[in-house]
C-alpha cells in the first residue's frame, strides 16, 4: 500500500511533520512504513520560464538559442528540443540546480544531475529546459507531455513560479507493510485516520453529499444475486449524459503519486475511490448490458470469457461472474469483460460497488491467472458497509467534475447486514495485561481517535465494521498500547503460571536423557514415525507379537510408510546401518521419539503415545558400556533404588545370551542388549551392535530431583575385600543384593574390582572380588561392628553355594 503525504494531509490538515518523523511515529503506532521516496530529492532551482525569442545556432543545424524570461532575469539557453516555440512556458533548471538522475529511485539522499553554465558549440548556455523525465516523472503519469521534447506548461502559468510545487512534485510517497487483518488501512482514508490518531490531529474524512436527480435507478437496472455466500452485498448506481474528458490536475497528481496512470475522468474516478476508500469499483456501459439486468452467479463449466485485457480465459463453477440477461460481463472482483468496456461513445454508465468473498476471489484469481489491484483488495475481505459510502463518493465526484448526470437512488442487494462488534471494556485488566497504569479516560480517548465508540450503559467498546481485528479485550489492549507508545510501557515482571520460566517435569527428565547421552559420546538422531509392516519380519518378531498390532495410515506415501511405529528399534538400526555402510567407525546415536500403541483396532480413540529413549552403538564398547550409560541416566533422573537386570528378556531381535530387561521397583522400564547376529545381518551391520530402549513414562513416574545433603564424613571408613568362587550361572547382581541386604546400617558402598575365569578356577565357575566400605556417622567403627556385618554377608553367600577364596 502506497500513499503520498499530500493526500494524507488533505484529510489531516494540521499535519506538519518531516518524512522521517512520519515514518518513525507511524511505525511505532502499528502502521509500519517500509520505505519512503521524496519526489523532489533530485530537483532544485527549477522555475517557470517563458521563451521570448528563438534563433538558430550559428554552428549547429539541430540546436537553437533561446532567450528565456525566468521572472527575475532573462537567460540564454541552448537546446536541441524540436517542440518549443516563442511564447511557450517551460520548466527551466537554473545554473547550480539539479534535475532527476544520478541515484537509485527510492534513495533518501539528494542526488540528481547538477546543471552548470557552459557552452554548446561555442554559444553560452546558462541553464536547461526540462522534459517530464528530467523532472523525475514519466509520460504515464503526465500523458500531456510530449514523447520527445520539453514539457510545455499551461499559458496561464506564472513566470518564475516553482515548477516542483506547480506539478505537485514536492511530495513524499510512503510504502507501507499492512497486515491482512487491517483491511481498513488498504485505503488512504484508513491511513489518514491512523496518522491523525498517531499525531493527535483532527481527522477530516471526505464529506459525501447526496447526489442524484428525481429519477429512480430501478427504472434503469435490475440486480439479482444468486450466490449470496460469495457476494454478501451488491450496490449499483447509474450515471447518464456521460461527458468523457481528462480528470482535473489534482486528481491526476494524487493518482500519479501512488503509481496509477491517469486515463480519463470516469476511469480516474473509479481508481481514485478505490485508493481513497479501499473499495474497488467497476463501471459498465449500460447500453451493452442485455435486458438492463445484472445477475451475480457462478460461471458455467467450461465457459470462456474475454477480459478487458483482450485475453480469453477458461472459467469453471468455482469462479463468480457478473452477468447480464444474456452473457457474462465481468469476473467478480477481478476484471470486467471486453464486451462491456467503457468507450468514448458511452452515454449511460452503470457504477458497481460490491463486496465479494475474499477466499473465493483469491482462489479465482490464481485459477484464471489474473491478479489485479481490485482482487488484491477483495481477497483481504472487505467491509460490506463500505460499499455504499464508496459508490456515493464516486457519484459525488462525477457531479463535481461535470462528468455526467447521476440518476437518483441506488440498487442495494444486501442480505445479512454486518453489525459492529461489542467488546466488554475493563481498564484494570488492560493495565494488568500491559503492565501499565493508564487511566480509563486516556484509554477511551485513544478509542475515540480511531472511531471506536463507547457505550457507557453496557460498559462496552463498539468496534466499527471496518475493523476486522477487534473481537476481545486483548485486541483493545493492543490499541491502547500502540497509541500510549510501546516505548513508554515500563519493564515489569510477567505474571501467571505459564511464565514461571522453567521446563515441565517431563521435559526436565528428557533433558537429563540428552545430557547423559551426549556426555557419553552419543549424537542425537530423529527417525520417521511412519514405517513399513516388513519391519516386524526384519526384527524376527513372531506372528502373534503384540508389536504387530500397528495403526495403518489412511493415505500413506507408500508401503514403506504405511503404519505408525510400535517399536523405536527399526529407525535406530537403520541409522546404524547407514553409518556402517558409509564406513563411519565408533558410531553412537540416541533418539527421543514416540511410539504409537493402539488400545484397540480399528481405532475408536487416539492411540497411546509413549516416549522412548533409544540408544544404539557399534565399534568401541560392549554390553557393559551400554549398561553403564543406562545406569548413569537412571541415577541422574533420581531413581534412587537399585535397578535389576533380568537376562530372561526374550527379545527375538537381541542376542539370546546377551540381553536383559531393566526392572525398577518391580516394573519393566526398558531393555538392552547386543543385536541378534541375524538381525544385524538383515540390516547390513557388519559388526557387533548394542541397543538400549527405556520407556520414558515409566521413568518420569518414578523420577525424583529431590536431593538431601548429608555433609562430609567426619569419621574414618573401614574397608573389607572378599574374593569368591561361584558357579557361572550366579550373577553379580545377586551377590550385590546380598551385600545390600546383609550389610547392616554401617554399609556405605561396595564395588566389583575383579572378575576371573581361568585354569586356577574349577570348570563351570568364576572368581569374583568385591571391596566393601563401612562407616558410621557418629563414631569410629570398632572391629566387632564390621565383623558382625561381614559374617552376615558371608553366611548368606555360602547358602547360595558361593565359596570364599582362601
Amino acid at each position: 500500500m502506497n500513499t503520498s503525504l499530500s493526500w494524507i494531509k488533505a484529510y489531516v490538515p494540521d499535519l506538519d511533520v518531516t518524512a522521517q518523523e512520519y515514518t518513525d511515529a507511524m511505525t511505532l503506532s502499528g502502521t509500519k512504513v517500509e520505505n519512503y521516496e521524496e519526489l523532489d530529492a533530485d530537483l532544485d532551482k527549477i522555475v517557470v520560464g517563458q521563451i521570448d525569442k528563438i534563433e538558430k545556432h550559428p554552428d549547429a543545424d539541430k540546436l537553437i538559442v533561446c532567450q528565456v524570461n525566468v521572472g527575475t532575469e532573462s537567460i540564454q539557453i541552448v537546446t536541441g528540443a524540436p517542440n518549443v516555440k516563442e511564447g511557450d512556458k517551460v520548466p527551466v533548471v537554473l545554473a547550480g540546480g539539479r534535475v532527476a538522475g544520478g541515484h537509485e529511485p527510492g534513495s533518501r539522499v539528494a542526488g540528481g544531475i547538477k546543471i552548470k553554465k557552459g557552452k554548446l558549440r561555442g554559444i553560452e548556455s546558462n541553464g536547461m529546459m526540462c522534459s517530464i523525465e528530467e523532472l523525475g516523472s514519466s509520460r504515464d503519469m503526465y500523458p500531456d507531455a510530449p514523447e520527445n521534447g520539453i514539457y510545455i506548461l499551461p499559458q496561464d502559468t506564472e513566470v518564475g513560479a516553482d515548477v516542483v510545487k506547480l506539478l505537485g512534485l514536492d511530495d513524499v510517497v510512503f510504502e507501507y507493510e499492512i497486515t491482512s487483518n487491517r483491511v481498513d488501512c488498504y485505503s488512504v482514508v484508513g491511513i489518514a485516520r491512523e496518522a491523525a490518531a498517531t499525531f493527535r490531529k483532527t481527522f477530516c474524512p471526505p464529506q459525501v453529499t447526496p447526489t442524484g436527480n428525481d429519477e429512480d435507478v430501478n427504472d434503469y437496472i435490475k440486480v439479482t444475486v444468486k450466490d449470496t455466500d460469495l457476494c454478501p452485498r451488491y450496490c449499483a448506481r447509474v450515471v447518464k449524459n456521460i461527458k468523457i474528458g481528462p480528470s482535473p490536475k489534482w486528481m491526476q497528481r494524487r493518482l500519479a503519486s501512488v503509481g496509477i496512470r491517469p486515463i480519463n475522468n470516469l476511469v480516474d474516478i473509479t481508481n481514485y475511490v478505490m485508493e481513497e476508500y479501499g473499495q474497488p469499483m467497476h463501471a459498465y456501459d449500460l447500453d451493452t448490458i442485455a435486458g438492463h439486468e445484472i445477475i451475480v452467479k457462478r460461471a458455467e463449466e467450461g465457459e470462456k470469457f474475454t477480459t478487458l485485457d483482450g485475453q480469453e480465459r477458461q472459467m469453471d463453477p468455482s469462479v463468480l461472474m457478473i452477468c447480464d440477461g444474456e452473457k457474462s460481463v465481468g469476473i467478480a472482483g477481478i476484471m470486467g469483460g471486453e464486451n462491456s468496456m467503457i468507450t468514448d461513445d458511452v452515454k449511460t454508465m452503470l457504477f458497481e460497488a460490491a463486496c465479494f468473498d475474499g477466499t473465493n476471489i483469491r482462489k479465482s484469481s490464481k485459477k484464471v491467472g489474473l491478479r489485479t489491484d481490485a482482487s488484491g483488495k477483495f481477497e483481504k475481505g472487505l467491509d460490506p458497509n463500505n460499499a455504499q459510502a464508496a459508490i456515493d463518493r464516486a457519484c459525488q465526484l462525477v457531479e463535481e467534475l461535470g462528468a455526467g448526470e447521476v440518476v437518483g437512488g441506488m440498487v442495494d442487494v444486501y442480505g445479512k447486514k454486518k453489525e459492529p462488534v461489542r467488546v466488554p471494556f475493563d481498564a484494570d485488566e488492560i493495565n494488568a495485561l500491559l503492565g501499565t497504569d493508564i487511566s480509563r479516560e486516556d484509554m477511551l480517548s485513544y478509542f475515540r481517535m480511531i472511531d471506536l465508540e463507547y457505550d457507557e450503559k453496557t460498559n462496552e467498546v463498539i468496534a466499527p465494521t471496518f475493523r476486522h481485528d477487534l473481537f476481545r479485550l486483548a485486541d483493545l489492549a493492543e490499541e491502547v498500547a500502540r497509541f500510549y507508545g510501546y516505548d513508554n510501557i515500563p519493564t515489569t515482571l510477567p505474571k501467571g503460571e505459564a511464565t514461571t520460566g522453567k521446563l515441565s517435569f517431563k521435559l526436565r527428565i528428557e533433558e537429563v536423557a540428552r545430557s547423559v547421552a551426549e556426555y557419553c559420546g552419543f549424537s542425537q538422531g530423529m527417525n520417521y514415525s511412519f514405517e513399513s509392516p516388513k519391519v516386524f519380519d526384519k526384527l524376527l518378531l513372531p506372528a502373534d507379537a503384540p508389536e504387530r498390532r500397528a495403526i495403518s495410515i489412511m493415505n500413506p506415501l507408500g508401503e514403506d510408510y504405511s503404519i505408525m511405529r510400535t517399536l523405536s528399534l527399526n529407525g535406530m538400526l537403520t541409522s546404524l546401518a547407514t553409518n556402517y555402510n558409509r564406513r563411519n567407525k565408533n558410531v553412537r546415536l540416541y533418539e527421543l521419539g514416540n511410539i504409537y500403541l493402539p488400545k484397540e483396532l480399528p481405532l475408536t480413540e487416539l492411540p497411546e503415545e509413549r516416549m522412548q529413549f533409544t540408544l544404539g552403538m557399534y565399534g568401541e564398547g560392549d554390553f557393559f558400556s551400554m549398561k553403564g550409560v543406562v545406569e548413569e541416566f537412571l541415577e541422574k533422573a533420581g531413581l534412587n533404588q537399585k535397578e535389576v537386570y533380568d537376562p530372561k528378556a526374550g527379545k527375538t531381535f537381541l542376542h539370546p545370551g546377551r540381553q536383559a530387561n531393566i526392572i525398577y521397583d518391580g516394573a519393566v522400564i526398558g531393555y538392552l542388549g547386543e543385536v541378534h547376529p541375524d538381525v544385524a545381518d538383515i540390516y547390513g551391520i557388519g559388526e557387533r551392535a548394542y541397543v538400549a530402549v527405556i520407556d520414558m513414562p515409566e521413568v518420569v513416574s518414578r523420577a525424583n530431583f529431590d536431593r538431601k545433603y548429608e555433609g562430609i564424613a567426619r569419621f574414618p571408613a573401614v574397608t573389607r575385600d572378599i574374593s569368591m568362587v561361584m558357579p557361572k550361572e550366579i550373577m553379580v547382581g545377586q551377590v550385590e543384593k546380598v551385600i545390600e541386604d546383609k550389610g547392616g546400617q554401617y554399609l556405605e558402598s561396595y564395588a566389583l574390582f575383579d572378575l576371573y575365569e581361568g585354569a586356577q578356577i574349577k570348570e563351570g565357575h568364576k572368581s569374583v572380588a568385591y571391596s566393601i566400605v563401612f562407616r558410621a556417622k557418629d563414631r569410629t567403627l570398632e572391629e566387632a561392628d564390621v565383623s558382625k556385618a561381614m559374617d552376615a554377608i558371608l553366611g548368606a553367600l555360602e547358602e547360595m553355594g558361593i565359596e570364599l577364596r582362601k
Side-chain angles (χ1 to χ4, degrees):
M1 176 68 193
N2 291 353
T3 70
S4 65
L5 184 58
S6 62
W7 203 344
I8 296 296
K9 287 182 177 180
Y11 309 132
V12 191
D14 299 333
L15 187 62
D16 184 18
V17 292
T18 66
Q20 191 61 55
E21 289 171 344
Y22 181 92
T23 296
D24 295 342
M26 291 293 283
T27 299
L28 280 176
S29 68
T31 309
K32 183 183 178 184
V33 178
E34 190 72 18
N35 196 8
Y36 69 81
E37 179 182 5
E38 295 176 306
L39 301 182
D40 60 350
D42 292 347
L43 308 179
D44 187 30
K45 298 177 71 173
I46 304 176
V47 299
V48 177
Q50 182 173 353
I51 301 175
D52 293 334
K53 186 178 180 180
I54 297 179
E55 297 177 341
K56 290 185 177 182
H57 192 291
D59 294 326
D61 293 338
K62 294 185 178 180
L63 297 179
I64 56 175
V65 181
C66 302
Q67 304 301 321
V68 184
N69 177 15
V70 293
T72 57
E73 61 178 324
S74 181
I75 61 175
Q76 180 173 285
I77 297 176
V78 179
T79 181
N83 67 314
V84 294
K85 62 182 184 298
E86 291 181 358
D88 281 348
K89 292 183 177 179
V90 296
V92 175
V93 56
L94 304 176
R98 296 192 312 273
V99 292
H103 83 292
E104 292 295 324
S107 171
R108 302 176 187 176
V109 180
I113 301 172
K114 192 170 184 179
I115 303 302
K116 301 178 181 179
K117 291 182 179 181
K119 292 183 179 182
L120 288 177
R121 301 292 292 270
I123 301 298
E124 186 174 319
S125 183
N126 297 320
M128 186 179 79
M129 291 180 280
C130 303
S131 66
I132 196 65
E133 288 78 13
E134 289 163 334
L135 294 175
S137 190
S138 67
R139 292 184 67 248
D140 285 341
M141 302 307 168
Y142 291 83
D144 55 332
E147 185 173 354
N148 293 299
I150 304 302
Y151 183 64
I152 307 300
L153 297 166
Q155 278 300 311
D156 59 353
T157 307
E158 179 186 354
V159 174
D162 187 338
V163 170
V164 173
K165 290 184 177 180
L166 185 69
L167 296 181
L169 297 173
D170 58 333
D171 207 349
V172 185
V173 175
F174 296 95
E175 178 187 353
Y176 305 88
E177 182 183 320
I178 307 297
T179 54
S180 295
N181 65 327
R182 289 303 307 274
V183 182
D184 57 303
C185 288
Y186 283 92
S187 67
V188 178
V189 168
I191 295 290
R193 182 186 294 107
E194 291 292 310
T198 299
F199 293 99
R200 308 297 193 268
K201 302 295 182 181
T202 303
F203 175 50
C204 303
Q207 297 300 312
V208 181
T209 55
T211 56
N213 58 23
D214 296 334
E215 297 179 275
D216 185 358
V217 69
N218 292 287
D219 297 334
Y220 285 80
I221 191 69
K222 176 185 176 183
V223 177
T224 303
V225 178
K226 291 188 175 181
D227 293 280
T228 54
D229 58 326
L230 300 183
C231 179
R233 190 177 193 184
Y234 191 100
C235 299
R237 296 195 69 176
V238 172
V239 179
K240 66 179 187 177
N241 301 325
I242 298 297
K243 299 179 181 66
I244 298 289
S247 55
K249 294 295 183 184
W250 63 267
M251 182 177 285
Q252 292 186 30
R253 300 291 184 264
R254 288 182 182 178
L255 291 175
S257 69
V258 295
I260 297 178
R261 180 172 64 90
I263 297 175
N264 59 48
N265 50 6
L266 292 180
V267 176
D268 291 353
I269 285 172
T270 59
N271 286 333
Y272 184 85
V273 173
M274 178 176 71
E275 294 299 316
E276 186 178 47
Y277 277 76
Q279 170 66 52
M281 299 183 62
H282 191 67
Y284 300 95
D285 186 342
L286 188 59
D287 293 332
T288 65
I289 303 299
H292 285 192
E293 180 181 16
I294 289 291
I295 303 172
V296 184
K297 63 179 183 178
R298 295 176 182 268
E300 300 293 335
E301 184 65 53
E303 178 181 349
K304 293 183 179 180
F305 181 72
T306 303
T307 47
L308 278 171
D309 57 3
Q311 297 294 314
E312 185 179 76
R313 303 179 189 277
Q314 187 86 17
M315 303 294 122
D316 66 40
S318 68
V319 180
L320 190 66
M321 303 296 292
I322 309 297
C323 308
D324 61 16
E326 299 176 354
K327 60 187 181 300
S328 296
V329 295
I331 306 176
I334 301 177
M335 184 177 281
E338 191 178 49
N339 54 11
S340 62
M341 65 185 295
I342 297 293
T343 65
D344 292 343
D345 299 328
V346 64
K347 297 294 186 292
T348 307
M349 182 182 67
L350 173 67
F351 263 141
E352 166 196 283
C355 187
F356 303 109
D357 178 71
T359 302
N360 178 261
I361 295 298
R362 171 73 171 171
K363 291 180 177 179
S364 298
S365 177
K366 293 178 72 68
K367 187 165 294 183
V368 302
L370 179 61
R371 196 168 192 269
T372 60
D373 288 340
S375 68
K377 293 184 184 295
F378 275 122
E379 66 190 26
K380 305 295 188 300
L382 300 185
D383 175 19
N385 293 330
N386 192 40
Q388 182 175 354
I391 201 169
D392 287 345
R393 172 64 166 162
C395 290
Q396 177 191 24
L397 291 171
V398 167
E399 287 196 349
E400 289 181 356
L401 304 185
E405 180 183 354
V406 180
V407 174
M410 178 182 73
V411 178
D412 188 8
V413 181
Y414 196 0
K416 184 180 179 181
K417 185 177 181 181
K418 185 176 182 180
E419 299 293 343
V421 175
R422 289 176 168 265
V423 183
F425 175 60
D426 187 333
D428 293 337
E429 191 169 343
I430 289 176
N431 276 322
L433 185 63
L434 298 178
T436 54
D437 187 20
I438 305 171
S439 69
R440 174 190 177 89
E441 291 71 25
D442 285 344
M443 292 184 188
L444 293 176
S445 71
Y446 299 152
F447 297 152
R448 285 192 293 270
M449 291 189 305
I450 51 176
D451 291 347
L452 271 62
E453 299 178 7
Y454 174 65
D455 188 337
E456 193 168 354
K457 292 181 180 179
T458 61
N459 191 34
E460 292 176 318
V461 174
I462 304 173
T465 54
F466 62 75
R467 287 301 299 270
H468 292 349
D469 59 322
L470 301 181
F471 296 101
R472 54 190 67 85
L473 189 70
D475 299 329
L476 297 182
E478 182 181 5
E479 300 303 297
V480 171
R482 66 194 188 95
F483 289 114
Y484 177 71
Y486 293 114
D487 52 332
N488 294 323
I489 297 177
T491 302
T492 57
L493 291 175
K495 300 177 181 178
E497 286 186 17
T499 57
T500 54
K502 64 179 181 181
L503 296 175
S504 66
F505 187 76
K506 172 180 175 293
L507 293 179
R508 290 170 66 193
I509 300 298
E510 292 176 13
E511 190 63 31
V512 169
R514 290 189 187 91
S515 298
V516 169
E518 290 169 8
Y519 178 79
C520 295
F522 288 75
S523 299
Q524 185 171 14
M526 184 177 293
N527 297 302
Y528 291 113
S529 296
F530 296 168
E531 291 186 332
S532 168
K534 298 176 182 177
V535 165
F536 306 125
D537 294 333
K538 293 172 68 175
L539 294 175
L540 309 181
L541 291 173
D544 59 348
E547 292 85 356
R548 289 182 179 268
R549 296 182 67 252
I551 303 163
S552 298
I553 307 300
M554 292 180 64
N555 56 341
L557 298 174
E559 186 183 7
D560 289 345
Y561 303 95
S562 61
I563 62 169
M564 301 186 75
R565 66 179 180 177
T566 56
L567 286 163
S568 62
L569 207 58
N570 173 67
M572 178 57 67
L573 294 178
T574 301
S575 298
L576 291 176
T578 300
N579 279 273
Y580 178 80
N581 292 319
R582 293 181 180 176
R583 300 185 181 181
N584 292 325
K585 298 181 179 180
N586 303 321
V587 174
R588 294 190 173 198
L589 300 174
Y590 79 93
E591 180 195 14
L592 281 165
N594 286 337
I595 59 172
Y596 305 87
L597 306 178
K599 296 173 184 177
E600 59 179 306
L601 291 175
L603 287 177
T604 57
E605 57 182 311
L606 292 176
E608 181 183 9
E609 299 183 27
R610 298 187 71 86
M611 176 70 71
Q612 305 291 290
F613 179 29
T614 308
L615 299 152
M617 70 178 190
Y618 68 79
E620 292 183 0
D622 55 16
F623 177 93
F624 298 104
S625 302
M626 183 66 79
K627 179 171 174 283
V629 177
V630 171
E631 290 175 345
E632 179 76 8
F633 165 61
L634 296 179
E635 179 186 351
K636 295 296 184 185
L639 275 69
N640 299 321
Q641 298 181 32
K642 184 70 175 176
E643 70 275 8
V644 177
Y645 296 87
D646 179 8
K648 300 177 181 179
K651 304 295 182 183
T652 58
F653 42 80
L654 296 180
H655 195 294
R658 300 168 187 168
Q659 58 173 283
N661 277 334
I662 306 167
I663 300 173
Y664 183 87
D665 194 23
V668 177
I669 63 172
Y671 58 86
L672 78 160
E674 180 183 330
V675 177
H676 195 290
D678 291 343
V679 174
D681 186 57
I682 290 171
Y683 279 91
I685 304 173
E687 58 181 283
R688 290 184 176 183
Y690 301 89
V691 295
V693 178
I694 300 173
D695 190 41
M696 292 298 284
E698 293 287 351
V699 174
V700 171
S701 65
R702 295 170 170 83
N704 186 355
F705 285 121
D706 293 340
R707 299 288 188 270
K708 184 178 180 181
Y709 176 70
E710 295 185 351
I712 299 173
R714 297 173 56 194
F715 298 94
V718 177
T719 303
R720 293 287 185 269
D721 294 342
I722 57 173
S723 181
M724 302 160 280
V725 176
M726 65 183 73
K728 286 184 178 180
E729 58 267 19
I730 297 179
M731 296 182 295
V732 293
Q734 295 173 269
V735 174
E736 292 177 356
K737 189 174 188 311
V738 168
I739 295 175
E740 288 181 359
D741 292 344
K742 303 297 182 180
Q745 61 177 326
Y746 301 125
L747 176 67
E748 182 178 76
S749 64
Y750 56 86
L752 173 69
F753 68 86
D754 184 55
L755 177 64
Y756 175 73
E757 295 179 24
Q760 287 117 6
I761 305 298
K762 58 185 175 179
E763 188 177 352
H765 287 66
K766 59 185 176 183
S767 173
V768 177
Y770 271 89
S771 178
I772 305 173
V773 179
F774 299 91
R775 191 194 304 267
K777 294 181 180 180
D778 55 349
R779 62 186 178 87
T780 300
L781 289 175
E782 298 180 359
E783 179 65 26
D785 298 321
V786 177
S787 297
K788 181 179 179 182
M790 287 301 298
D791 290 343
I793 292 171
L794 295 174
L797 292 175
E798 288 177 359
E799 291 179 3
M800 296 172 59
I802 298 175
E803 301 175 7
L804 188 67
R805 290 186 69 182
K806 304 299 184 180

